[in-house]
Amino acid sequence: MTAERKTLWYFIGALVVGGAERTLIDLANEVNGEEYDVTIWTIFSTNPLETELSPEVTVRSLTDAGRVSNGAIEGVESPLVYLLAPLKFCIVACREQPDIIQSFLFYDNVIARIAGVFCSATIITGVREVPNDEPLVRRVIDRVTISLSDAIVSNSTAGRDYAVERGAEEENVAVVYNGRNIEQYRTTDSAELRSELDIPTGATVVGTVGRLVERKGHFDLLDAWPTIVSEIPDAHLVFVGDGADRERLTERVNSLGCDDSVHFLGTRQDVPALLGAMDVFAFASHYEGLPGAVIEAMAAELPIVATPVDGTSDLLENYRTGLFVDVQSPDEIAWATIRLHQHRSLAETLGTAAGQRAESEFTIKSMVDGFERLYQEIETEPEETAYAQPLTE
C-alpha cells in the first residue's frame, strides 16, 4: 500500500522573472512527486513563469489583480488586495490543513507565519538576501514574527547569520544553496546572436544579468565603461533584464556618450545563449542573497568580475574562480575587466575553475536534495533536528 502524499504548499507573490521565482520553479518541478503533492499559491494571477511548470504542479491564485511591468507586479487597483489576499490564504489553510507551507520572500514569509497560527502545517520561511538598507518597520515585523517559523532556510551563510540575529534559534536555520541546470549553459555558438545584437563577431562583450535596479550596481558598471572602452575600443556592454531604473540607466548612457556600445535587452528567455556570447561577466551588486545569475555565469565558464557581497562570496573565491572588486567602485570594475581582457590565460583559468565549482556544488539536483532532506528532518522530534550546517555540503 502506497503511503499518502504530503501536501506541500509554496507561497509567493507572483511567478515573475526573478531569482527566488526561478528557484521555486526548479524546486517545484523536481521535488519527489511520489512523496509530495505540490501546489504553488500566488497572490496575483499574472504569472509569466507558470508555463515552465510541470503539469503535476498546481497553481492557485488568491486574486485576479495586478499586471507585470518592468519585471514586477504593478497596476493593483486597491491596496485592500494586500489585506484580503492574506486573509483568504489563512482561511484556506485553516480549511484544508496542508502538511507544509514554504515561502521565500519577506512579505510572503509574514503571511505564511500568520497562516501557521490557523493550521497545523509546518511553516518554512526563507532568507533570500541580506539588505544593507532595511527599513525599520520591516526589521520590527520580521523580529516579531520570526518565531512563528518552524524552520528557516537561507540560500547563503550570511542569510543564516541574519536569521539568527533576527531571533531565530540556530538549530532551526538551514542553508540550501541555489542550483541551476549546468549543462544548459554550456553553449558556444554565438555568431548568430551577436549578429542579431549588431555586435561584431570579434568584439569583446562584457555582460550582466539582473533586474535594472540601483542595488544591482548597474550605475557603477556604467561609470566604469568609458575607462574600459578607452582600453578596449571594440568593447560592447550588454544588460539582460528589466526593472524600474531602466530609464535612468539609459539617461546615464546618453550622458556618458557611449550609447553605441551599450545594449539594454530587457527580459529574455535565451539567457544561456546570451551568456555564450559574452567574454566577461560583471556583477557589481551592492548586496545579495545567493545570486543565480552568478551561478549561471559560472556554469557558462565565464571569467567573472564581482563584488564580494554576502552570497556572492559563497560562490566565488578571489583569483580562483573570479575577480573581486569593492562595492561601488567603478575604477576597480574597469581595472579588473581590462585585466581579464589583457590576460586571456587568467580569464580562461578563472572561467574553467568557476565552471567546475558550479558543476560540483550548484546543480538543481543538489538544491532539491537539500530541500528534501529538510522536509524529512522537520518530521523528526525537535531534539533530533539540526539544520545549522549547509545541507548541500
PDB file of all heavy atoms in Angstrom, residues 17 56 58 85 131 156 166 169 180 187 203 250 289 300 315 358 365 369 383 392:
ATOM      1  N   VAL A  17       9.735  36.967 -13.382  1.00  0.00           N
ATOM      2  CA  VAL A  17      11.145  36.636 -13.571  1.00  0.00           C
ATOM      3  C   VAL A  17      11.957  37.203 -12.414  1.00  0.00           C
ATOM      4  O   VAL A  17      11.995  38.407 -12.186  1.00  0.00           O
ATOM      5  CB  VAL A  17      11.652  37.189 -14.914  1.00  0.00           C
ATOM      6  CG1 VAL A  17      13.147  36.909 -15.069  1.00  0.00           C
ATOM      7  CG2 VAL A  17      10.874  36.566 -16.065  1.00  0.00           C
ATOM      8  N   GLU A  56       2.179  18.390 -13.249  1.00  0.00           N
ATOM      9  CA  GLU A  56       1.830  17.829 -11.940  1.00  0.00           C
ATOM     10  C   GLU A  56       1.756  18.886 -10.842  1.00  0.00           C
ATOM     11  O   GLU A  56       1.266  18.617  -9.742  1.00  0.00           O
ATOM     12  CB  GLU A  56       2.849  16.761 -11.525  1.00  0.00           C
ATOM     13  CG  GLU A  56       2.704  15.429 -12.250  1.00  0.00           C
ATOM     14  CD  GLU A  56       3.184  15.507 -13.692  1.00  0.00           C
ATOM     15  OE1 GLU A  56       4.143  16.278 -13.948  1.00  0.00           O
ATOM     16  OE2 GLU A  56       2.601  14.819 -14.552  1.00  0.00           O
ATOM     17  N   THR A  58       0.256  22.189  -9.228  1.00  0.00           N
ATOM     18  CA  THR A  58      -0.956  23.001  -9.255  1.00  0.00           C
ATOM     19  C   THR A  58      -0.624  24.439  -8.892  1.00  0.00           C
ATOM     20  O   THR A  58       0.163  24.683  -7.977  1.00  0.00           O
ATOM     21  CB  THR A  58      -1.997  22.462  -8.256  1.00  0.00           C
ATOM     22  OG1 THR A  58      -2.296  21.106  -8.596  1.00  0.00           O
ATOM     23  CG2 THR A  58      -3.273  23.299  -8.277  1.00  0.00           C
ATOM     24  N   ALA A  85      -6.075  39.284   0.414  1.00  0.00           N
ATOM     25  CA  ALA A  85      -5.423  38.069  -0.085  1.00  0.00           C
ATOM     26  C   ALA A  85      -4.803  37.250   1.048  1.00  0.00           C
ATOM     27  O   ALA A  85      -5.020  36.033   1.123  1.00  0.00           O
ATOM     28  CB  ALA A  85      -4.382  38.420  -1.140  1.00  0.00           C
ATOM     29  N   PRO A 131      19.717  42.654   3.146  1.00  0.00           N
ATOM     30  CA  PRO A 131      19.743  44.051   2.705  1.00  0.00           C
ATOM     31  C   PRO A 131      20.611  44.918   3.606  1.00  0.00           C
ATOM     32  O   PRO A 131      20.707  44.688   4.810  1.00  0.00           O
ATOM     33  CB  PRO A 131      18.271  44.471   2.774  1.00  0.00           C
ATOM     34  CG  PRO A 131      17.674  43.554   3.793  1.00  0.00           C
ATOM     35  CD  PRO A 131      18.399  42.252   3.666  1.00  0.00           C
ATOM     36  N   SER A 156      22.284  31.323   1.610  1.00  0.00           N
ATOM     37  CA  SER A 156      23.674  31.719   1.851  1.00  0.00           C
ATOM     38  C   SER A 156      23.985  31.638   3.330  1.00  0.00           C
ATOM     39  O   SER A 156      23.086  31.668   4.182  1.00  0.00           O
ATOM     40  CB  SER A 156      23.928  33.148   1.356  1.00  0.00           C
ATOM     41  OG  SER A 156      23.271  34.099   2.194  1.00  0.00           O
ATOM     42  N   ARG A 166      18.128  37.924  13.876  1.00  0.00           N
ATOM     43  CA  ARG A 166      16.744  38.364  13.993  1.00  0.00           C
ATOM     44  C   ARG A 166      15.996  37.670  15.137  1.00  0.00           C
ATOM     45  O   ARG A 166      14.905  38.053  15.484  1.00  0.00           O
ATOM     46  CB  ARG A 166      15.993  38.092  12.686  1.00  0.00           C
ATOM     47  CG  ARG A 166      16.216  39.133  11.603  1.00  0.00           C
ATOM     48  CD  ARG A 166      15.499  40.435  11.971  1.00  0.00           C
ATOM     49  NE  ARG A 166      15.652  41.406  10.909  1.00  0.00           N
ATOM     50  CZ  ARG A 166      16.656  42.268  10.808  1.00  0.00           C
ATOM     51  NH1 ARG A 166      17.610  42.259  11.704  1.00  0.00           N
ATOM     52  NH2 ARG A 166      16.703  43.131   9.823  1.00  0.00           N
ATOM     53  N   GLU A 169      16.180  30.509  16.360  1.00  0.00           N
ATOM     54  CA  GLU A 169      17.069  29.555  17.007  1.00  0.00           C
ATOM     55  C   GLU A 169      18.020  28.960  15.960  1.00  0.00           C
ATOM     56  O   GLU A 169      17.584  28.541  14.888  1.00  0.00           O
ATOM     57  CB  GLU A 169      16.259  28.432  17.664  1.00  0.00           C
ATOM     58  CG  GLU A 169      15.339  28.896  18.788  1.00  0.00           C
ATOM     59  CD  GLU A 169      16.118  29.410  19.990  1.00  0.00           C
ATOM     60  OE1 GLU A 169      17.274  28.960  20.178  1.00  0.00           O
ATOM     61  OE2 GLU A 169      15.572  30.238  20.743  1.00  0.00           O
ATOM     62  N   ARG A 180      21.300  25.295 -10.557  1.00  0.00           N
ATOM     63  CA  ARG A 180      20.925  25.527 -11.949  1.00  0.00           C
ATOM     64  C   ARG A 180      21.218  24.271 -12.776  1.00  0.00           C
ATOM     65  O   ARG A 180      22.010  23.423 -12.383  1.00  0.00           O
ATOM     66  CB  ARG A 180      21.723  26.704 -12.545  1.00  0.00           C
ATOM     67  CG  ARG A 180      21.326  28.075 -12.026  1.00  0.00           C
ATOM     68  CD  ARG A 180      19.932  28.464 -12.484  1.00  0.00           C
ATOM     69  NE  ARG A 180      19.580  29.836 -12.146  1.00  0.00           N
ATOM     70  CZ  ARG A 180      18.980  30.206 -11.023  1.00  0.00           C
ATOM     71  NH1 ARG A 180      18.680  29.289 -10.107  1.00  0.00           N
ATOM     72  NH2 ARG A 180      18.678  31.464 -10.801  1.00  0.00           N
ATOM     73  N   THR A 187      27.096  26.536 -23.803  1.00  0.00           N
ATOM     74  CA  THR A 187      26.867  26.808 -25.224  1.00  0.00           C
ATOM     75  C   THR A 187      27.995  27.669 -25.770  1.00  0.00           C
ATOM     76  O   THR A 187      28.553  28.506 -25.053  1.00  0.00           O
ATOM     77  CB  THR A 187      25.520  27.528 -25.442  1.00  0.00           C
ATOM     78  OG1 THR A 187      25.362  27.829 -26.828  1.00  0.00           O
ATOM     79  CG2 THR A 187      25.443  28.821 -24.643  1.00  0.00           C
ATOM     80  N   ALA A 203      34.311  41.284 -31.507  1.00  0.00           N
ATOM     81  CA  ALA A 203      34.298  42.306 -30.455  1.00  0.00           C
ATOM     82  C   ALA A 203      34.311  41.660 -29.069  1.00  0.00           C
ATOM     83  O   ALA A 203      33.885  40.530 -28.885  1.00  0.00           O
ATOM     84  CB  ALA A 203      33.076  43.203 -30.603  1.00  0.00           C
ATOM     85  N   THR A 250      19.405  54.443 -19.016  1.00  0.00           N
ATOM     86  CA  THR A 250      19.511  54.917 -20.400  1.00  0.00           C
ATOM     87  C   THR A 250      19.983  56.360 -20.434  1.00  0.00           C
ATOM     88  O   THR A 250      20.825  56.739 -21.270  1.00  0.00           O
ATOM     89  CB  THR A 250      18.155  54.774 -21.113  1.00  0.00           C
ATOM     90  OG1 THR A 250      17.727  53.410 -21.062  1.00  0.00           O
ATOM     91  CG2 THR A 250      18.265  55.217 -22.562  1.00  0.00           C
ATOM     92  N   GLY A 289      21.543  37.767  -1.998  1.00  0.00           N
ATOM     93  CA  GLY A 289      21.335  36.517  -1.299  1.00  0.00           C
ATOM     94  C   GLY A 289      22.384  35.562  -1.839  1.00  0.00           C
ATOM     95  O   GLY A 289      23.558  35.654  -1.522  1.00  0.00           O
ATOM     96  N   ALA A 300      28.492  28.788 -17.358  1.00  0.00           N
ATOM     97  CA  ALA A 300      28.915  29.112 -18.722  1.00  0.00           C
ATOM     98  C   ALA A 300      30.421  29.251 -18.848  1.00  0.00           C
ATOM     99  O   ALA A 300      30.930  29.562 -19.938  1.00  0.00           O
ATOM    100  CB  ALA A 300      28.238  30.403 -19.181  1.00  0.00           C
ATOM    101  N   LEU A 315      29.911  31.928  -3.484  1.00  0.00           N
ATOM    102  CA  LEU A 315      30.055  31.306  -4.798  1.00  0.00           C
ATOM    103  C   LEU A 315      31.478  31.392  -5.348  1.00  0.00           C
ATOM    104  O   LEU A 315      31.975  30.439  -5.939  1.00  0.00           O
ATOM    105  CB  LEU A 315      29.109  31.980  -5.798  1.00  0.00           C
ATOM    106  CG  LEU A 315      27.612  31.865  -5.530  1.00  0.00           C
ATOM    107  CD1 LEU A 315      26.839  32.726  -6.521  1.00  0.00           C
ATOM    108  CD2 LEU A 315      27.169  30.415  -5.621  1.00  0.00           C
ATOM    109  N   ALA A 358      30.661  25.167 -10.171  1.00  0.00           N
ATOM    110  CA  ALA A 358      29.210  25.158 -10.396  1.00  0.00           C
ATOM    111  C   ALA A 358      28.705  23.737 -10.601  1.00  0.00           C
ATOM    112  O   ALA A 358      27.666  23.337 -10.050  1.00  0.00           O
ATOM    113  CB  ALA A 358      28.874  26.023 -11.607  1.00  0.00           C
ATOM    114  N   LYS A 365      19.933  19.348  -8.820  1.00  0.00           N
ATOM    115  CA  LYS A 365      19.822  18.135  -8.005  1.00  0.00           C
ATOM    116  C   LYS A 365      20.309  18.376  -6.583  1.00  0.00           C
ATOM    117  O   LYS A 365      19.655  17.965  -5.607  1.00  0.00           O
ATOM    118  CB  LYS A 365      20.605  16.993  -8.633  1.00  0.00           C
ATOM    119  CG  LYS A 365      20.456  15.683  -7.861  1.00  0.00           C
ATOM    120  CD  LYS A 365      21.240  14.564  -8.505  1.00  0.00           C
ATOM    121  CE  LYS A 365      20.954  13.233  -7.798  1.00  0.00           C
ATOM    122  NZ  LYS A 365      21.194  13.283  -6.338  1.00  0.00           N
ATOM    123  N   ASP A 369      17.868  18.055  -3.410  1.00  0.00           N
ATOM    124  CA  ASP A 369      18.244  17.108  -2.356  1.00  0.00           C
ATOM    125  C   ASP A 369      18.299  17.810  -1.000  1.00  0.00           C
ATOM    126  O   ASP A 369      17.871  17.258   0.023  1.00  0.00           O
ATOM    127  CB  ASP A 369      19.600  16.472  -2.659  1.00  0.00           C
ATOM    128  CG  ASP A 369      19.536  15.452  -3.778  1.00  0.00           C
ATOM    129  OD1 ASP A 369      18.419  15.068  -4.170  1.00  0.00           O
ATOM    130  OD2 ASP A 369      20.614  15.047  -4.265  1.00  0.00           O
ATOM    131  N   GLU A 383      14.324  17.556  19.222  1.00  0.00           N
ATOM    132  CA  GLU A 383      15.666  17.385  19.761  1.00  0.00           C
ATOM    133  C   GLU A 383      16.565  16.594  18.821  1.00  0.00           C
ATOM    134  O   GLU A 383      17.774  16.555  18.985  1.00  0.00           O
ATOM    135  CB  GLU A 383      15.609  16.667  21.125  1.00  0.00           C
ATOM    136  CG  GLU A 383      14.991  15.271  21.094  1.00  0.00           C
ATOM    137  CD  GLU A 383      13.488  15.326  21.369  1.00  0.00           C
ATOM    138  OE1 GLU A 383      12.904  16.426  21.251  1.00  0.00           O
ATOM    139  OE2 GLU A 383      12.902  14.282  21.728  1.00  0.00           O
ATOM    140  N   THR A 392      23.843  21.307   1.671  1.00  0.00           N
ATOM    141  CA  THR A 392      24.410  20.862   0.412  1.00  0.00           C
ATOM    142  C   THR A 392      25.880  20.535   0.537  1.00  0.00           C
ATOM    143  O   THR A 392      26.534  20.206  -0.439  1.00  0.00           O
ATOM    144  CB  THR A 392      24.230  21.932  -0.671  1.00  0.00           C
ATOM    145  OG1 THR A 392      24.790  23.151  -0.199  1.00  0.00           O
ATOM    146  CG2 THR A 392      22.780  22.118  -0.999  1.00  0.00           C
TER     147      THR A 392
END
